Amino acid sequence: YTVAERGALNVFDYSNSSAPILAPELAVDLSAFVPGGVPSDVEVCRGLLFVSVIPADSVEDGTVLILSAVKRANPTRPESLANVTVGPSPDHILPNAHCTVLAVANEGDGSYEAGLRDPEGSVDLISNLHGESPTQVEVHRVSLRDLGDDEDLIKKGVHLPLPLNAMVYWQDFSGFGDVKFTEGRT
């Protein structure tokens, strides 16, 4: 499976992995589910197909589409099983090993049109994904607001890609005199 920014879900046959074949008859137009939305990730797990979609206005809540997966023995176009509302900018998704919970990373990308709109990032956990017909899913939002500062996170075992002042250090010692990270932080 692949998703395209123009709103298509494409299905490929990998029975010969050195020569995959596009199966256009199995493609799904995702704009029918989220008009103007941009699909950002796709995962498949035990007969279920998950697609995260960022809406046209990226600061609004996004959607995770749950569809039936294509069966190799009897290939048919994926069918919609559920549309789940999640937080803003759902960028990455990942089911657990048993396909009973789907984690959704909501980046909360901001926008500056008529002023800054910058929603909080979060993680949604979609549960009650029972078999091939999830009908009563539940969404549990995990806020990232109160996790603490860098020092608190490091104590909790979180790996941070850059320490708090790394950009300032880079500005001071990189040799690129025209880069002013500190001005961007004020």
Side-chain angles (χ1 to χ4, degrees):
Y1 300 95
T2 63
V3 289
E5 287 186 5
R6 295 191 180 239
L9 170 73
N10 292 303
V11 180
F12 285 84
D13 180 355
Y14 275 88
S15 55
N16 178 356
S17 61
S18 63
I21 300 170
L22 175 65
E25 70 279 5
L26 301 176
V28 177
D29 179 4
L30 299 174
S31 66
F33 304 105
V34 184
V38 177
S40 57
D41 199 3
V42 60
E43 293 286 337
V44 64
C45 192
R46 297 188 185 200
L48 295 176
L49 181 62
F50 305 101
V51 180
S52 58
V53 182
I54 299 171
D57 184 354
S58 65
V59 298
E60 299 297 325
D61 283 344
T63 303
V64 169
L65 304 174
I66 304 175
L67 303 114
S68 59
V70 174
K71 294 175 179 56
R72 186 176 298 278
N74 185 19
T76 58
R77 178 176 283 134
E79 294 182 17
S80 175
L81 302 174
N83 293 6
V84 182
T85 299
V86 295
S89 301
D91 196 30
H92 299 287
I93 55 178
L94 187 65
N96 67 351
H98 300 289
C99 301
T100 56
V101 177
L102 180 73
V104 182
N106 302 310
E107 289 191 355
D109 293 337
S111 171
Y112 194 89
E113 292 174 12
L116 178 63
R117 297 187 313 159
D118 190 11
E120 180 179 87
S122 62
V123 174
D124 284 331
L125 301 174
I126 302 173
S127 59
N128 286 348
L129 301 171
H130 301 292
E132 296 181 20
S133 59
T135 56
Q136 300 291 327
V137 299
E138 295 178 12
V139 180
H140 306 277
R141 172 105 5 115
V142 178
S143 172
L144 305 177
R145 175 178 295 172
D146 299 321
L147 294 178
D149 60 16
D150 284 8
E151 187 176 314
D152 295 331
L153 292 170
I154 291 169
K155 286 178 184 174
K156 293 174 185 176
V158 175
H159 170 73
L160 299 177
L162 294 173
L164 184 60
N165 293 317
M167 295 172 89
V168 174
Y169 179 86
W170 192 81
Q171 171 185 313
D172 293 343
F173 300 104
S174 68
F176 295 102
D178 59 341
V179 177
K180 302 292 184 210
F181 289 114
T182 51
E183 290 176 11
R185 297 180 83 181
T186 57

